[in-house]
């Protein structure tokens, strides 16, 4: 494999301008994307996504993954980024200084900067897991890297970034020294969105023999990387599990959408009277079962059921809980489905609140980026109104701190976790 994928792209055999490879290897632009008049403001504000609708014209013949300059309609430099003609995000921006080249040294420095933040945050314990690179939150739009003990899972959400897969793996190998690197596409529809077609699997080193075990706040979880489990492990909820567990002592807990049992096991170990963990996927409940066993969390019982049906059945049977945890999958994939998603959140939260005894604790989450914190709280206010219950927010939380969010790209803030008391 070439050292520099920009010189000889690994992912596609595209035809190139004769002088393009040299310019590209030096990290210089091979073309310029001019913005329509009055469209430059977000990019002076360092927003990294240049949508096709903002583009006036393109000079040169940039190919997918090539370095381009972004300029105002009258030719003033704005920023430097990577081009993808197949994405609505036509250019992703990485540098806002004309002197900064997007060469190998640049990517190395950016990746090292992200990894050094995790050291600062205390994630250098190799028995644990951490998100090492969080896309826009680390000024590396389109690249996500999670470390599970000694293994790295790399997720590309941008084709232009994927054009540099060999370079990125080289840098990750040198800086992290993992036992293996796996590619994993957890985002759906990348073929259509980005023209990106990835085969998941091992790209460097070796596969683990069975699940990789990680330590999270003193608890053990098995994470199945070799099976290609699409969802892996929800590292973003790490601290929310611990925050929820603080309220679990002595309570009967319902963990709806439990996946591999993160919230359930944390609550059981914090002294919950009992925990019912429910997920619609048999694979998920098998993981939850195994993880409960691994931690000696005997008070956890696991069930495979559809959440909406199970919530109804529990209500009909007159069951009551001291704590209800709701962590459903993303209900809204785009702005056009926002209203529909808010109705679904209302419905599931109403069902959850109806199962809570007076003074019970509701832990309710949304991982839909288009549902803002305000939208989510308004939805809960609707639930309070309809159910006639008083709901008070104790904590309003986001993703764990190894998932930083750039203030220039608040689109990266997708997770809301509200802990509330319901009387
Ligand atoms: N709380 C978990 C993460 C939940 S992810 C943790 O801390 O790790 C969302 C989960 O919802 C997935 O495991 C998925 O299998 C489950 N799910 C999706 N639709 C469902 C449905 N209709 N009923 C029950 N579970 C469902």
């Amino acid at each position: 494999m070439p050292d520099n994928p920009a010189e000889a792209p690994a992912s596609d055999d595209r035809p190139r301008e004769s002088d393009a490879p040299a310019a590209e290897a030096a990290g210089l632009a091979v073309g310029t994307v001019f913005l329509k008049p009055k469209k430059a403001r977000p990019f002076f504000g360092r927003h990294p996504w240049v949508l096709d609708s903002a583009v006036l014209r393109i000079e040169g013949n940039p190919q997918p993954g090539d370095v381009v300059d972004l300029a105002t309609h009258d030719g003033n430099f704005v920023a430097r980024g990577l081009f993808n003609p197949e994405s609505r995000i036509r250019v992703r921006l990485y540098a806002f200084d004309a002197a900064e080249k997007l060469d190998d040294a640049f990517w190395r420095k950016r990746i090292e900067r992200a990894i050094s933040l995790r050291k600062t945050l205390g994630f250098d314990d190799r028995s644990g897991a951490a998100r090492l690179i969080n896309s826009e939150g680390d000024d590396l739009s389109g690249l996500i890297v999670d470390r599970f003990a000694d293994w790295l899972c790399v997720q590309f959400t941008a084709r232009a970034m994927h054009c540099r897969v060999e370079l990125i793996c080289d840098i990750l190998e040198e800086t992290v020294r993992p036992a293996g690197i796996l590619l994993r596409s957890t985002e759906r529809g990348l073929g259509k969105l980005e023209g990106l077609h990835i085969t998941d699997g091992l790209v460097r080193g070796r596969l683990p023999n069975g699940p990789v075990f990680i330590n999270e706040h003193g608890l053990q979880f098995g994470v199945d990387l070799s099976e290609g489990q699409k969802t892996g492990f929800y590292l973003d909820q790490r601290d929310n599990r611990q925050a929820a567990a603080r309220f679990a002592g002595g309570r009967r807990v319902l963990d709806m959408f439990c996946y591999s049992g993160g919230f359930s096991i944390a609550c059981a170990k914090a002294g919950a009277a009992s925990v019912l963990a429910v997920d619609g996927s048999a694979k998920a409940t098998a993981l939850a079962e195994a993880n409960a066993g691994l931690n000696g969390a005997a008070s956890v019982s696991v069930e495979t059921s559809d959440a909406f049906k199970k919530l109804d059945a529990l209500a009909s049977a007159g069951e009551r809980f001291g704590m209800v945890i709701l962590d459903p999958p993303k209900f809204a994939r785009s702005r056009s489905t926002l209203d529909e998603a808010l109705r679904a959140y209302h419905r599931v939260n109403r069902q959850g609140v109806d199962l809570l005894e007076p003074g019970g604790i509701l832990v309710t989450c949304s991982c839909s980026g288009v549902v803002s914190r305000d939208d989510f709280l308004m939805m809960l206010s609707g639930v309070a109104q309809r159910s006639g219950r008083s709901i008070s927010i104790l904590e309003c939380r986001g993703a764990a701190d190894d998932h930083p969010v750039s203030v220039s790209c608040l689109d990266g803030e997708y997770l809301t976790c509200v802990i509330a008391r319901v009387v």
Side-chain angles (χ1 to χ4, degrees), residues 6-7 16-26 30:
E7 279 175 334
R16 307 192 55 111
E17 299 275 275
S18 56
D19 61 342
E24 175 97 24
V30 301

Side-chain angles (χ1 to χ4, degrees), residues 229 258-261 279-291 302 304:
Q229 263 289 330
C258 69
Y259 187 53
S260 57
D279 200 284
S281 145
K283 267 192 177 167
T285 49
L287 293 172
E289 197 86 66
N291 283 328
V302 181
T304 309

Side-chain angles (χ1 to χ4, degrees), residues 27-88:
L28 294 170
V30 301
T32 302
V33 173
F34 291 86
L35 290 163
K36 290 177 183 165
K38 299 204 174 89
K39 289 286 183 190
R41 178 176 285 209
F43 313 113
F44 284 124
R46 306 176 78 92
H47 197 287
W49 302 341
V50 183
L51 299 187
D52 55 354
S53 54
V55 173
L56 176 69
R57 66 188 175 88
I58 296 166
E59 222 173 68
N61 181 26
Q63 301 295 308
D66 278 349
V67 176
V68 290
D69 279 351
L70 184 71
T72 56
H73 70 284
D74 49 358
N76 290 317
F77 176 89
V78 179
R80 189 159 291 146
L82 302 181
F83 185 71
N84 183 357
E86 288 182 59
S87 173
R88 263 194 70 216

Side-chain angles (χ1 to χ4, degrees), residues 234 241 257-259 263 279-281 305-307 327 329:
Y234 295 93
R241 295 184 187 113
F257 309 96
C258 69
Y259 187 53
F263 278 100
D279 200 284
S281 145
S305 292
D306 174 74
D327 185 16

Side-chain angles (χ1 to χ4, degrees), residues 235-264:
L235 296 174
D236 51 357
Q237 292 280 32
R238 180 194 305 113
D239 297 341
N240 298 336
R241 295 184 187 113
Q242 207 186 24
R246 201 157 68 89
F247 298 95
R251 293 183 194 265
R252 186 179 183 214
V253 177
L254 173 64
D255 178 11
M256 200 44 92
F257 309 96
C258 69
Y259 187 53
S260 57
F263 278 100
S264 293

